[in-house]
C-alpha cells in the first residue's frame, strides 16, 4: 500500500476506517482488463469492415484479504457506471462492491435513480458511507471457486 497517497479524501477516509477495524487491505494493487466498443472501424481481410474493441484497465481502490474489492465513489458519473457494468459482465467472479460517500441522484435517460437504486438494478452490492462489518470478515471455506483460483493464480 502506498504511504498514505490516495486519489481523494474519501479514499483516505475509507482507508482510515479499514485500519481502525484492523483490516489489512491493499490499495490499487490489481488491475483487470475489460473491453469497450471502439468508435473506429477495422478492416478485416476476411470479413471486411468491423467495429473494433478497445482494451481498458480497471483498478479497484481496495482489495480486502477476503477477495472483496471496494470501489469508493463521491461522484458516480455515466462513464463510471458503464465501466462497472462492463467489468462485472466480463469478470463475473470478481466480488466488487461500491462504497458511496452520499446516495446522490443520477439521471439515466428519462429515469432518475439514486446511486443505491442503480446498484440494486445492476445487481452490484453497495453501501453509503459506512462499510458493513459483514464485508470485512473472511469468506467461508465452502465458498465457490475464487477469482484467483479460476485464473490460476493460487
Amino acid at each position: 500500500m502506498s504511504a498514505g497517497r490516495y486519489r481523494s479524501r474519501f479514499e483516505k477516509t475509507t482507508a482510515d476506517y479499514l485500519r481502525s477495524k484492523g483490516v489489512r487491505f491493499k490499495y490499487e494493487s490489481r488491475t483487470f482488463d475489460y473491453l469497450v466498443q471502439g468508435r473506429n472501424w477495422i478492416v478485416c481481410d476476411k470479413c471486411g469492415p468491423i467495429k473494433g474493441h478497445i482494451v481498458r484497465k480497471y483498478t479497484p481502490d481496495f482489495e480486502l484479504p477476503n477477495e472483496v474489492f471496494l470501489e469508493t465513489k463521491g461522484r458516480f458519473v455515466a462513464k463510471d457506471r458503464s465501466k462497472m457494468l462492463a467489468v462485472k459482465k466480463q469478470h463475473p467472479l470478481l466480488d466488487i462492491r461500491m462504497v458511496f460517500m452520499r446516495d446522490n441522484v443520477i439521471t439515466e435517460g428519462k429515469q432518475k435513480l439514486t446511486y443505491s437504486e442503480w446498484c440494486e438494478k445492476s445487481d452490484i452490492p453497495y453501501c453509503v458511507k459506512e462499510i458493513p462489518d459483514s464485508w470485512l470478515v473472511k469468506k467461508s471455506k465452502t465458498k465457490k471457486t475464487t477469482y484467483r483460483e479460476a485464473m490460476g493464480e493460487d
Side-chain angles (χ1 to χ4, degrees):
M1 174 177 52
S2 60
R5 292 191 177 189
Y6 298 99
R7 294 179 188 268
S8 71
R9 251 187 268 159
F10 187 50
E11 285 183 0
K12 182 177 181 331
T13 301
T14 301
D16 292 343
Y17 177 79
L18 293 171
R19 277 192 211 93
S20 76
K21 292 288 197 172
V23 177
R24 297 183 57 89
F25 62 89
K26 295 177 186 172
Y27 177 71
E28 293 190 342
S29 61
R30 300 191 49 203
T31 299
F32 303 94
D33 291 343
Y34 68 100
L35 296 174
V36 294
Q37 185 75 46
R39 292 183 183 179
N40 298 327
W41 291 84
I42 299 169
V43 179
C44 172
D45 291 335
K46 293 181 182 177
C47 36
I50 55 171
K51 270 244 177 171
H53 285 86
I54 299 168
V55 176
R56 300 263 189 219
K57 306 276 186 200
Y58 168 63
T59 304
D61 296 326
F62 298 94
E63 179 181 0
L64 304 183
N66 59 2
E67 289 194 349
V68 168
F69 293 90
L70 301 179
E71 182 66 30
T72 56
K73 289 290 178 198
R75 293 182 60 228
F76 195 38
V77 297
K79 185 177 176 181
D80 295 326
R81 296 190 302 271
S82 296
K83 173 174 55 177
M84 295 312 300
L85 290 176
V87 170
K88 179 181 182 252
K89 181 178 181 181
Q90 295 171 39
H91 296 279
L93 294 177
L94 279 182
D95 187 353
I96 303 172
R97 303 174 188 193
M98 303 299 299
V99 181
F100 297 114
M101 191 164 54
R102 288 179 208 82
D103 197 14
N104 292 335
V105 174
I106 54 178
T107 304
E108 240 183 35
K110 294 179 181 180
Q111 193 176 22
K112 289 189 181 224
L113 300 170
T114 61
Y115 292 174
S116 59
E117 289 169 334
W118 184 91
C119 283
E120 287 172 11
K121 177 181 138 191
S122 304
D123 196 29
I124 297 175
Y126 70 92
C127 66
V128 179
K129 286 190 183 176
E130 193 165 316
I131 301 165
D133 287 339
S134 62
W135 289 15
L136 307 177
V137 298
K138 291 191 177 190
K139 295 181 181 180
S140 72
K141 298 287 183 188
T142 58
K143 189 178 105 12
K144 294 179 184 174
T145 304
T146 66
Y147 185 82
R148 286 180 191 257
E149 291 166 346
M151 299 307 291
E153 296 178 17
D154 266 354

